[in-house]
Amino acid sequence: MTAQTDYRLSQLDELEAESIHVFREVAAEFEKPVLMFSGGKDSICMMRLAEKAFYPAKIPFPVLQVDTGYDFAEVLETRDHWVDRLGVRLVVASVEKAIADGVVVDDGKTSRNRLQIGTLLNVLEQEGFTAAFGGGRRDEEKARAKERIYSHRDDFGQWDPKNQRPEVWSLYNGRIRQGEHMRVFPLSNWTELDIWHYIDREQIEIPSIYFAHRRRVFERDGMLLGESDNVTLKPGEAVTERTVRFRTVGDMTLTGCVESTASTTAEIIEEVAASRITERGATRGDDRFSEAAMEDRKREGYF
Amino acid sequence: MDLLRFATAGSVDDGKSTLIGRLLLDSKAIFEDQLEAVEQTSMARGYDYTDLALLTDGLRSEREQGITIDVAYRYFATPRRKFIIADTPGHVQYTRNMVTGASTANLGLVLVDARQGLTEHSRRHAVILSLLRVPHLVLAVNKMDLVGYDEAVYEQIQADFQSFATKLTIPDLTVIPISALKGDNVVTRSTNMPWYEGPSLLHHLEHVHVASDRDLVDTRFPVQYVVRPKSDDFHDYRGYAGRVAGGVLKPGDEVLVLPSGFTTTIEAIDNFDQEVAEAFPPMSVTVRLADDLDVSRGDMICRPHNAPKPSQDIDAMVCWMGTAPLRPRQKLAIKHTTRAGRTMVKDVQYRLDVNTLHRDQETKELALNEIGRVQLRTTVPLLCDPYSKNRTTGSFVLIDEATGVTVGAGMILSAD
Ligand SMILES: Nc1nc2c(ncn2[C@@H]2O[C@H](COP(=O)(O)OP(=O)(O)O)[C@@H](O)[C@H]2O)c(=O)[nH]1
């Protein structure tokens, strides 16, 4: 950024400044913050913002990933690049291990996504993290639209939407009691399009599955899912090869892709700007089960 | 493209949700799957039309009760601007919600129903926006279709409001006749009201000038975080990170650091890996100083002849959000800029009736959702300005020390 005579910030610069402020505030006030890294574009933008917030020092907290066992290889690869480049400590909490240890119960019906909740809460408690950054955005979903930037969690990691602390000006209240923690959402005011503009502007490395590629897919509940060892085809489901990309990344057994030829960030921006369907609605099986699906998971302690 | 944050207020059924739904829909911020869900729900409930208000009903408890209980944030953009709407419900917990929404807003949008004219509610909304020093106010006179698009109705409401507004601080007021349902003057100028010569609501939102609302004269830089890499490459690096709260900082500027009172000059200003020539609000930057001083979080960098006076005696308007009332001698935690301390309530001078502006000096306490003038004594000196001068260095929050809950929002009148 160079000298600006009219003293105006672009909206992207203003969002960046706000997010950086949040990162610094948490680093200054919390004993043990951690950044929840899913490998998706939002959490990668968080990494970028954290990098900027503390530069030239290293990011003063570790990065936490909850490994569902069903993660895309491309996502794990990008994660490793970022962790190496920034020299941060990576904490991996594995859902498989949590199942083996009896922390969560795999009854064969519960999705990996849902089992992440117990796994996550367990690792937060075990490691004693007092603040956990999440990449949630308020434009994503109706319940999120009301969530604070600092979102207080009780002893059980639960969110109480009816009892949120007022959040005035940018004076964040970081008070927690023993056993409680804070979820912090530095990207609250960003939209999906803002994220893409930022990725484009900053030339941020994101997993290749966001870009158009050939993939063997099948249709389920109106979504396109990738073929993998972890999903068994139901009768009538047929695999075909198509040119697709992912709009969100998560548990590969639940995350759908869309047919697209967008192979650069600029092309993705065009596609997102013209898109008439929310990214979750299009591609997240976990949010479709009920009108209040996200709110329920959030209450329990989801990201 | 820049950013405009605005807060909406209106009482139940004035048409706030319809208006927001329309702004989102016409700017294509509503997606098909969201619209379909709302159409389905409207049908299932037996409505004759798609209830756009459902787009903004967030939480399950709200859907069940059919009311909105908490501030919700919405986003839309036009080629000129990105907008963040703080949608503040006007009935339950209205003060808390409005204060929250207005605290960060550049503009306040108050809706009235043309058939009813100004109500106690609309006056109250304007009072809160004025107290929070939201620099621009739009009064949208809605449901003009139901009064035959009559100019006289509009004129009357405008006149009523203007006479009331003389008691308030509203630097910039615009009154727009609209129909949220029919779309008149929302996005495009209406042909039904040729007598109205002003802009459509969206046009006004896109063009209202907000950059000059920031104080670019009085330098205020609350130190938020000290950056010390302790690495081989940046061995001696020591930077003070924070967000500019006022003024313009430049390398070479002579500065005063409070509370220590030392002066030095700015050596460089870093924005990530680049040095910048200037830093102004609301940039987040890292300032390096020429001298090795002991500067830490909570300190303030300002100019030698333009600095706030450190003070422990604070006179402020407080909006109380705690369930138990605020009383004299009560002890609370306080957070002001990047400073934290404790405070004791010395006196509750009066309670402000936000409907009539009457100052009630009889009560010595503030109940939930009441606003009043309060004297505080703090354990640490605050480096503050009057809220009317600077919304960042003039504001604070009060926190209940036992529960950790935010119970008060304060706006400083003066400090000695
Ligand atoms: N005729 C007419 N009806 C309106 C207008 N705006 C809103 N309404 C209706 O007024 C009722 C209340 O509107 P709603 O947006 O839910 O109000 P809210 O409680 O302020 O959010 C609904 O039946 C709307 O369809 C308008 O401009 N003209």
Side-chain angles (χ1 to χ4, degrees):
Chain A
M1 213 184 314
T2 46
Q4 308 193 354
T5 42
D6 63 350
Y7 299 112
R8 269 205 251 187
L9 285 188
S10 74
Q11 70 107 358
L12 219 45
D13 284 330
E14 189 164 338
L15 291 175
E16 181 188 64
E18 176 181 274
S19 303
I20 286 175
H21 173 84
V22 171
F23 273 110
R24 289 171 174 164
E25 203 59 13
V26 170
E29 290 202 320
F30 285 87
E31 236 166 90
K32 239 190 135 179
V34 68
L35 187 149
M36 298 192 289
F37 184 74
S38 69
K41 63 183 191 318
D42 301 320
S43 59
I44 291 175
C45 281
M46 282 208 294
M47 291 276 263
R48 174 65 170 174
L49 290 159
E51 176 185 13
K52 289 193 172 196
F54 304 103
Y55 186 87
K58 281 186 187 162
I59 298 176
F61 39 78
V63 163
L64 168 69
Q65 199 221 347
V66 178
D67 184 349
T68 58
Y70 295 169
D71 295 307
F72 292 95
E74 295 88 340
V75 170
L76 299 180
E77 198 181 306
T78 310
R79 174 198 74 187
D80 292 340
H81 283 176
W82 273 89
V83 166
D84 279 353
R85 191 170 70 72
L86 300 181
V88 287
R89 180 165 78 95
L90 174 69
V91 180
V92 178
S94 142
V95 173
E96 309 256 301
K97 186 164 177 305
I99 295 169
D101 294 349
V103 171
V104 295
V105 180
D106 185 8
D107 57 8
K109 285 183 297 214
T110 313
S111 76
R112 283 291 160 112
N113 211 316
R114 203 144 187 131
L115 294 176
Q116 273 184 298
I117 302 175
T119 311
L120 171 69
L121 293 176
N122 183 57
V123 67
L124 292 176
E125 191 170 334
Q126 294 284 311
E127 297 258 348
F129 292 124
T130 52
F133 292 104
R137 308 187 320 263
R138 287 178 181 145
D139 77 324
E140 269 178 274
E141 204 271 338
K142 289 201 277 189
R144 286 227 204 255
K146 307 212 163 176
E147 188 158 15
R148 307 291 187 254
I149 292 179
Y150 272 39
S151 183
H152 179 258
R153 300 305 157 102
D154 67 12
D155 278 334
F156 300 96
Q158 298 182 102
W159 180 50
D160 180 1
K162 274 203 278 198
N163 228 338
Q164 298 193 82
R165 293 175 178 179
E167 200 161 74
V168 279
W169 297 288
S170 37
L171 286 168
Y172 303 108
N173 173 359
R175 293 244 169 174
I176 49 167
R177 288 180 291 188
Q178 190 74 37
E180 300 177 340
H181 74 275
M182 198 69 85
R183 292 291 170 85
V184 181
F185 300 102
L187 303 179
S188 288
N189 288 324
W190 297 58
T191 62
E192 185 186 11
L193 210 48
D194 295 331
I195 295 287
W196 281 112
H197 279 294
Y198 195 65
I199 290 170
D200 187 53
R201 181 180 97 173
E202 305 279 312
Q203 305 198 341
I204 294 175
E205 184 202 340
I206 54 169
S208 57
I209 60 171
Y210 278 111
F211 300 101
H213 58 283
R214 299 289 291 172
R215 181 174 289 264
R216 290 173 57 78
V217 295
F218 63 95
E219 241 175 84
R220 178 175 290 175
D221 304 330
M223 280 194 304
L224 280 183
L225 292 178
E227 181 189 40
S228 85
D229 297 343
N230 300 318
V231 269
T232 335
L233 291 185
K234 292 179 186 164
E237 291 176 340
V239 174
T240 53
E241 194 180 285
R242 301 201 208 172
T243 302
V244 297
R245 64 176 210 88
F246 288 84
R247 280 179 74 183
T248 65
V249 304
D251 175 339
M252 65 200 268
T253 64
L254 277 175
T255 308
C257 47
V258 291
E259 293 205 79
S260 164
T261 54
S263 56
T264 62
T265 40
E267 284 168 11
I268 290 176
I269 288 173
E270 253 177 65
E271 191 188 281
V272 172
S275 165
R276 304 304 318 131
I277 296 188
T278 57
E279 55 184 9
R280 289 196 166 262
T283 60
R284 292 298 280 254
D286 41 342
D287 281 338
R288 303 172 126 215
F289 299 132
S290 90
E291 205 185 348
M294 175 66 123
E295 183 182 338
D296 290 343
R297 275 178 294 130
K298 286 191 72 68
R299 275 174 191 272
E300 284 174 36
Y302 190 66
F303 296 103
Chain B
M1 187 157 88
D2 66 352
L3 185 63
L4 181 91
R5 295 173 198 252
F6 69 97
T8 56
S11 20
V12 192
D13 287 344
D14 283 345
K16 190 157 59 75
S17 316
T18 309
L19 178 63
I20 293 175
R22 177 160 293 283
L23 285 171
L24 299 183
L25 202 62
D26 287 352
S27 62
K28 302 199 167 56
I30 296 291
F31 294 99
E32 267 166 24
D33 52 329
Q34 291 172 311
L35 191 61
E36 262 167 39
V38 164
E39 281 167 354
Q40 276 172 14
T41 312
S42 298
M43 262 187 357
R45 293 192 187 168
Y47 299 162
D48 294 340
Y49 55 90
T50 301
D51 188 0
L52 291 180
L54 291 172
L55 282 169
T56 55
D57 278 346
L59 301 168
R60 173 182 290 185
S61 49
E62 297 181 345
R63 284 193 295 275
E64 282 162 1
Q65 295 173 46
I67 53 155
T68 321
I69 51 178
D70 209 331
V71 187
Y73 294 88
R74 324 264 167 222
Y75 303 84
F76 72 98
T78 67
R80 288 193 71 95
R81 254 190 183 152
K82 169 168 166 172
F83 298 94
I84 301 181
I85 311 178
D87 180 9
T88 66
H91 33 298
V92 200
Q93 295 269 14
Y94 66 88
T95 310
R96 187 194 76 169
N97 289 329
M98 271 211 70
V99 168
T100 303
S103 69
T104 52
N106 309 105
L107 181 146
L109 173 64
V110 177
L111 247 82
V112 295
D113 184 327
R115 296 169 304 176
Q116 292 175 7
L118 282 199
T119 59
E120 196 172 280
H121 288 281
S122 13
R123 291 199 187 88
R124 170 203 291 168
H125 297 318
V127 168
I128 295 173
L129 290 168
S130 148
L131 266 175
L132 271 288
R133 300 265 168 181
V134 178
H136 307 271
L137 193 147
V138 174
L139 181 71
V141 181
N142 190 30
K143 306 198 186 182
M144 285 301 293
D145 55 309
L146 296 181
V147 295
Y149 298 107
D150 184 0
E151 182 178 10
V153 174
Y154 165 80
E155 291 293 345
Q156 185 62 47
I157 293 173
Q158 181 176 35
D160 287 352
F161 191 82
Q162 264 160 352
S163 79
F164 177 70
T166 53
K167 297 182 220 160
L168 307 175
T169 316
I170 298 174
D172 171 38
L173 169 69
T174 308
V175 188
I176 306 179
I178 65 165
S179 167
L181 192 69
K182 304 276 161 72
D184 297 280
N185 285 336
V186 176
V187 174
T188 47
R189 293 260 316 260
S190 164
T191 48
N192 291 319
M193 291 175 272
W195 45 265
Y196 172 72
E197 286 173 353
S200 72
L201 174 63
L202 186 63
H203 186 273
H204 180 68
L205 294 175
E206 282 185 304
H207 293 268
V208 62
H209 189 62
V210 293
S212 55
D213 298 336
R214 290 170 181 147
D215 179 355
L216 295 173
V217 176
D218 309 295
T219 300
R220 301 288 186 264
F221 185 77
V223 175
Q224 191 187 4
Y225 188 89
V226 182
V227 179
R228 297 228 46 197
K230 299 181 186 144
S231 64
D232 292 341
D233 291 346
F234 295 94
H235 193 77
D236 294 321
Y237 187 99
R238 192 182 178 93
Y240 303 106
R243 208 166 180 197
V244 184
V248 180
L249 288 82
K250 297 189 190 75
D253 280 353
E254 190 182 15
V255 291
L256 169 75
V257 182
L258 289 178
S260 68
F262 288 117
T263 53
T264 177
T265 53
I266 295 180
E267 185 180 274
I269 302 170
D270 295 327
N271 189 344
F272 184 43
D273 58 359
Q274 307 216 322
E275 290 189 12
V276 292
E278 295 179 304
F280 51 90
M283 285 171 70
S284 279
V285 293
T286 303
V287 172
R288 281 181 278 141
L289 300 175
D291 296 291
D292 229 346
L293 304 175
D294 182 21
V295 179
S296 52
R297 175 175 166 87
D299 291 0
M300 172 105 69
I301 295 174
C302 37
R303 303 273 277 168
H305 301 293
N306 181 344
K309 201 169 101 204
S311 168
Q312 288 176 261
D313 289 295
I314 310 294
D315 181 9
M317 293 303 289
V318 169
C319 166
W320 189 247
M321 302 160 168
T323 38
L326 171 88
R327 294 203 173 96
R329 300 212 51 80
Q330 192 166 342
K331 293 177 187 69
L332 296 152
I334 186 168
K335 186 171 178 185
H336 169 260
T337 65
T338 54
R339 286 197 142 216
R342 301 184 68 211
T343 185
M344 190 182 80
V345 180
K346 284 202 311 197
D347 189 26
V348 178
Q349 221 173 310
Y350 60 79
R351 187 178 61 85
L352 184 74
D353 184 326
V354 287
N355 299 318
T356 60
L357 292 178
H358 174 72
R359 295 171 178 187
D360 176 5
Q361 296 178 340
E362 303 303 307
T363 41
K364 279 290 162 208
E365 54 179 56
L366 294 180
L368 174 67
N369 282 316
E370 288 184 343
I371 295 175
R373 185 164 176 177
V374 173
Q375 268 70 49
L376 300 169
R377 169 86 188 168
T378 57
T379 53
V380 292
L382 301 189
L383 311 167
C384 59
D385 293 294
Y387 185 75
S388 57
K389 263 190 71 190
N390 188 315
R391 289 170 84 186
T392 306
T393 55
S395 55
F396 59 84
V397 291
L398 298 171
I399 297 164
D400 183 305
E401 293 183 301
T403 61
V405 172
T406 307
V407 286
M411 290 151 279
I412 295 167
L413 294 165
S414 65
D416 323 276

